[in-house]
Amino acid sequence: MQENMSSIGMSRGKLHSVIDGKNVVYTLPASTQRTGAIRIGRGSNTVAHLKIRNVLNGTAAIETDLPTAGDVAVAIRNVHVSNGERGIDIRNPGVTSPASKLSATLEGNTLSGMMNGLGQGIRIVNFGTAGAVIPVSLRENSATGNYFGCLVANLNSTDSKIDVDSHGDVSNDNGMGCVLLGGNGSGAIAANNNAISFTAHASQFSNNTGPLAPTAPRERGGIVIDGGTSAQSGKASQNSVRLKLFGSKVDGNTEADIAAWGAFTNAILPAGSNNTVRIDLHGKPVNVISVPSFPREPAGTNTVTVVR
């Protein structure tokens, strides 16, 4: 979609316009890089009242990866996505799109059957950014029957931030409910000084006991958190995740309702230092498994704090 364009399907009662992506390969021109069935991310874009299904050969049904030099605002409402790799991908792609702020509003969407590839209902990610911000408003979205209900991450980024405000959203009956990665360094790339704030009011993360993607984290749960994580030692420092739950339901999940690591890596030495997770629980008791650092960090700067 071009700058400031919208795509709004016809809606009559329960009928929506349909996009079927079966047998279509979504790649960028003169490239092997995959993209989404609908690409947005220039100026102000709206997508609404659509059914999108069978996007098996693209990164997502809706993808915010269009190159732009300015701030971006996108709204996605009443879109129903089934059978693919990702439903909605709110992605700030860094060097190919130097926007410092990508604002997103998601309302009344349903994401199901994302069990191809990584299998994510909703992904919100700063990808290779420096100083980027993604504020997201989630309202009454439903992600069920996916490998991951949602994934929020600062991937290979520095000084970047994601703020998610969720009201009445449902992430139930997936392999994992929602994964929050404050700073995630892949390969030899570092992820430092990043932050995620995730606040949920009357949202649900329950009964996530389904099958997992081959690349799923080591622990299952309704909400799984890494303050800082990296493939190599010393590549993730000064990252933070703040989770606040108000009257939200988190129960019936495999292994843990909430599982949190201040820092995690499979390397011999710690991922980094000064990675922090804080979990504020307001409402019913929730089972929390917490580990400050794996492997252990002798200085003790990686922490998990739970406030009930």
Side-chain angles (χ1 to χ4, degrees):
M1 291 171 56
Q2 296 301 312
E3 185 173 2
N4 300 326
M5 287 184 64
S6 297
S7 177
I8 300 176
M10 296 180 65
S11 178
R12 296 177 181 176
K14 295 185 178 180
L15 296 178
H16 287 62
S17 299
V18 177
I19 296 174
D20 195 318
K22 188 176 182 180
N23 299 324
V24 179
V25 178
Y26 298 94
T27 57
L28 298 177
S31 170
T32 59
Q33 182 179 343
R34 294 187 307 149
T35 186
I38 296 177
R39 299 180 68 202
I40 58 179
R42 288 179 178 161
S44 178
N45 297 138
T46 297
V47 179
H49 301 299
L50 295 175
K51 285 186 177 180
I52 308 173
R53 61 195 183 201
N54 302 323
V55 181
L56 301 173
N57 300 309
T59 54
I62 302 174
E63 174 72 78
T64 66
D65 66 344
L66 283 175
T68 183
D71 291 347
V72 173
V74 300
I76 303 169
R77 297 184 174 94
N78 299 311
V79 173
H80 307 284
V81 184
S82 61
N83 194 26
E85 180 165 348
R86 290 189 189 91
I88 299 172
D89 195 14
I90 304 300
R91 176 163 63 105
N92 188 336
V95 293
T96 62
S97 179
S100 60
K101 186 176 182 180
L102 168 58
S103 302
T105 299
L106 278 60
E107 296 179 347
N109 304 292
T110 63
L111 306 308
S112 64
M114 301 299 118
M115 299 182 75
N116 189 57
L118 296 174
Q120 301 158 357
I122 298 172
R123 182 174 74 160
I124 303 166
V125 60
N126 279 312
F127 196 119
T129 60
V133 178
I134 305 180
V136 180
S137 172
L138 301 178
R139 297 292 186 273
E140 298 183 350
N141 302 284
S142 175
T144 61
N146 310 292
Y147 284 148
F148 297 87
C150 69
L151 172 69
V152 184
N154 291 299
L155 176 60
N156 299 339
S157 296
T158 58
D159 301 310
S160 295
K161 185 177 182 181
I162 301 173
D163 291 312
V164 179
D165 185 46
S166 166
H167 287 254
D169 297 289
V170 174
S171 190
N172 295 346
D173 302 308
N174 304 287
M176 301 177 71
C178 195
V179 177
L180 311 177
L181 307 176
N184 181 13
S186 66
I189 304 175
N192 297 318
N193 302 302
N194 302 292
I196 289 174
S197 174
F198 192 108
T199 302
H201 296 263
S203 294
Q204 299 179 33
F205 309 87
S206 297
N207 302 316
N208 293 287
T209 61
L212 294 176
T215 57
R218 65 273 155 200
E219 188 80 34
R220 301 181 65 171
I223 303 174
V224 176
I225 305 170
D226 285 346
T229 184
S230 59
Q232 298 184 8
S233 299
K235 294 295 184 178
S237 293
Q238 302 283 346
N239 300 292
S240 68
V241 175
R242 177 83 180 268
L243 172 67
K244 293 182 283 186
L245 301 180
F246 296 89
S248 294
K249 184 179 180 181
V250 190
D251 62 8
N253 300 289
T254 299
E255 297 185 15
D257 289 325
I258 299 177
W261 284 258
F264 181 90
T265 181
N266 282 317
I268 296 175
L269 299 176
S273 60
N274 295 292
N275 297 290
T276 62
V277 173
R278 178 178 169 125
I279 302 168
D280 293 277
L281 302 174
H282 303 271
K284 294 182 179 180
V286 176
N287 173 34
V288 179
I289 295 175
S290 64
V291 179
S293 181
F294 183 89
R296 181 177 175 272
E297 181 214 9
T301 65
N302 296 313
T303 61
V304 177
T305 303
V306 180
V307 180
R308 300 179 185 271

